[in-house]
Amino acid sequence: LSQIRSKIINSEDFPEFVKESSKNAKMALNRDEIYVRRAEMKLNKINSDDELVNQYKANIRVVELADKAIYVNRKNWKAYYLKGLALINLEQYDDAVEELINSLALNRDNLDARLAIGKINRLNGDFNYAMSIYNSVLKIDENSFDALIGKALTYYDWQKYGQANMYFRKSFILNTVLKY
């Protein structure tokens, strides 16, 4: 039905004030939060057992939903964050970093965005920068399991196995202590 509607009614034909009032109405109805919630649910449902085609489609859908949320409310930090995560999954690292930085600009307390930027740098082989990101997270939260694992994985990829082992142990001990 929506495809038929889009063929009959082209949104480009509407005057700008109609588009803006529609955007304002969606913002007033918290439509951006609905898009974000749907994107988050879609992202959480993706698992490694899915076929690659299904994973790809799901990540593309997350990007689409995040774009809709951003269109409605440019200050929705979570939409940028979720889009960044989906772009990481799609291996579009440069675009992902940009979206994660946009998220951080709106919410400096989002340590998960920093961790995702650290992961991107690790995957790109920029181990020094990845370490600086993980260290900045540990300065804020010295018990960040994800930052410790990030450092361990970075050292491992860097082929510094002794240091990797040390951080794997630290993260294991921290995880064990936090459970009790």
Side-chain angles (χ1 to χ4, degrees):
L1 192 60
S2 65
Q3 291 174 346
I4 294 170
R5 179 185 55 118
S6 64
K7 288 180 182 177
I8 296 171
I9 303 171
N10 185 355
S11 63
E12 299 298 318
D13 296 336
F14 291 123
E16 196 59 39
F17 75 91
V18 172
K19 291 179 191 175
E20 197 59 36
S21 66
S22 171
K23 182 177 169 183
N24 291 338
K26 287 178 181 177
M27 190 183 303
L29 295 171
N30 290 328
R31 189 70 183 168
D32 61 315
E33 290 301 324
I34 294 169
Y35 292 135
V36 165
R37 198 168 35 253
R38 287 174 55 199
E40 194 169 32
M41 287 182 349
K42 188 68 132 172
L43 198 58
N44 289 335
K45 285 183 181 178
I46 298 171
N47 66 49
S48 59
D49 296 337
D50 291 341
E51 290 182 20
L52 272 155
V53 172
N54 291 338
Q55 289 179 17
Y56 179 81
K57 287 180 182 178
N59 282 296
I60 291 294
R61 183 66 181 140
V62 170
V63 169
E64 290 169 352
L65 290 166
D67 281 339
K68 287 181 178 184
I70 292 166
Y71 174 75
V72 172
N73 181 2
R74 289 201 151 326
K75 294 185 179 184
N76 190 322
W77 66 269
K78 199 165 190 177
Y80 292 103
Y81 171 68
L82 294 172
K83 183 176 179 182
L85 293 181
L87 290 169
I88 290 172
N89 293 340
L90 294 168
E91 298 180 3
Q92 296 178 14
Y93 300 133
D94 292 339
D95 293 336
V97 167
E98 188 176 319
E99 297 303 329
L100 293 165
I101 289 172
N102 287 337
S103 176
L104 281 170
L106 296 168
N107 180 6
R108 290 193 164 278
D109 297 332
N110 184 2
L111 294 182
D112 292 331
R114 290 182 190 203
L115 291 167
I117 293 171
K119 178 181 179 178
I120 290 168
N121 283 286
R122 177 179 62 83
L123 293 172
N124 279 334
D126 191 350
F127 303 126
N128 287 318
Y129 192 62
M131 282 299 180
S132 69
I133 298 286
Y134 293 130
N135 287 331
S136 75
V137 170
L138 289 169
K139 282 182 184 176
I140 297 168
D141 179 8
E142 65 187 28
N143 293 324
S144 173
F145 175 78
D146 293 326
L148 290 172
I149 285 291
K151 285 185 78 163
L153 291 170
T154 302
Y155 278 128
Y156 183 83
D157 290 348
W158 207 348
Q159 298 180 348
K160 295 184 176 188
Y161 301 118
Q163 290 166 303
N165 187 39
M166 180 180 71
Y167 279 97
F168 279 125
R169 287 176 190 246
K170 279 185 179 182
S171 61
F172 174 77
I173 292 168
L174 177 66
N175 192 34
T176 304
V177 169
L178 292 178
K179 283 185 179 179
Y180 298 103

